[in-house]
């Protein structure tokens, strides 16, 4: 019999939590990159600064926070790969119970 806490803290839980964290990290990377290329790559100065012929076009780059999100995603994937290589078997959530003739003798049907 499998207890609910074994599902959350066992190998299946490790796959689930690392998978969720990896998905959300990838989502943050995609959102960060899309914001960078959509809004921040072009000239983001105010009108008065643009009138002085200043420009910020193509001067942006990905900072530390972007690369930390990438490193976290790599860490989550690496954790799942190490768990996969460890050989720990994931127990099925639901097992099919086989009926024994011995146990059926004591069952009273109404």
């Amino acid at each position: 019999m499998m207890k609910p806490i074994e599902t959350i803290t066992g190998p299946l839980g490790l796959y689930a939590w690392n998978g969720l964290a990896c998905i959300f990290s990838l989502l943050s990377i995609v959102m960060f990159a899309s914001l960078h290329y959509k809004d921040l790559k072009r000239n983001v100065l105010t009108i008065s600064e643009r009138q002085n012929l200043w420009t910020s076009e193509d001067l942006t780059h990905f900072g530390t926070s972007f690369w930390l999100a990438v490193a976290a995603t790599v860490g989550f994937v690496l954790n799942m790969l190490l768990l996969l290589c460890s050989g720990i078997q994931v127990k099925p959530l639901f097992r099919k119970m086989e009926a024994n003739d011995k146990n059926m003798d004591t069952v009273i049907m109404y």
Side-chain angles (χ1 to χ4, degrees):
M1 191 72 163
M2 196 166 181
K3 298 176 186 172
I5 193 70
E6 291 175 1
T7 304
I8 295 171
T9 60
L12 186 62
L14 286 173
Y15 280 119
W17 297 125
N18 281 306
L20 279 173
C22 186
I23 288 169
F24 287 119
S25 292
L26 281 173
L27 182 64
S28 71
I29 290 170
V30 167
M31 289 171 53
F32 199 114
S34 65
L35 177 70
H36 176 76
Y37 286 113
K38 182 179 177 283
D39 293 329
L40 299 177
K41 196 122 172 103
R42 62 186 168 95
N43 204 350
V44 293
L45 296 176
T46 63
I47 294 172
S48 63
E49 291 170 334
R50 287 184 204 163
Q51 288 172 349
N52 290 336
L53 300 177
W54 293 343
T55 184
S56 67
E57 186 118 11
D58 293 328
L59 294 177
T60 59
H61 62 281
F62 291 117
T64 306
S65 58
F66 176 79
W67 297 113
L68 283 175
V70 171
T73 305
V74 169
F76 295 132
V77 170
L78 185 64
N79 195 2
M80 287 190 289
L81 288 175
L82 287 174
L83 185 62
L84 184 67
C85 292
S86 71
I88 296 174
Q89 297 293 321
V90 176
K91 296 177 186 174
L93 290 176
F94 303 104
R95 290 185 225 165
K96 195 171 192 177
M97 300 290 284
E98 294 183 17
N100 293 340
D101 291 334
K102 296 176 187 176
N103 291 338
M104 295 304 287
D105 293 337
T106 59
V107 175
I108 300 174
M109 303 292 278
Y110 289 102

